[in-house]
Amino acid sequence: MEKRVPRGDLVRMTINLSADLVMKIDEYAKILHVNRTSAMSVLMSQALEQKEVINVMSEMSKFMSQIELMKKSEEREMGVDIVPKG
């Protein structure tokens, strides 16, 4: 079982990547004027943040659909004619 590391602490990792992926990371590092490690850290952080945003957006979409259904149900109960938009 892996030991949890407090935030802010640096951890050395060993990973295996394809040569093509390393070349892309190196190109990205060159654009940012940083070393490979910093580039990988930026890319991994961005990927995880994007994943989190996608999850939040998915939950928001479900929530908005539920609100829309509740609104339509209330309109029916009140006898309001529902006119399709568009």
Side-chain angles (χ1 to χ4, degrees), residues 50-63:
Q50 288 174 4
K51 182 178 181 275
E52 186 175 329
V53 167
I54 289 169
N55 289 341
V56 168
M57 294 299 291
S58 175
E59 290 300 313
M60 286 178 63
S61 176
K62 290 176 190 174
F63 183 68

Side-chain angles (χ1 to χ4, degrees), residues 28 32 34 36-48:
Y28 184 73
L32 293 182
V34 298
R36 182 186 288 164
T37 299
S38 296
M40 289 178 63
S41 181
V42 167
L43 290 166
M44 287 187 280
S45 293
Q46 288 175 345
L48 292 171

Side-chain angles (χ1 to χ4, degrees), residues 12-28:
R12 182 174 297 273
M13 295 176 55
T14 303
I15 61 173
N16 297 318
L17 302 171
S18 71
D20 289 340
L21 183 55
V22 172
M23 285 175 45
K24 289 177 183 179
I25 293 167
D26 287 345
E27 289 172 12
Y28 184 73

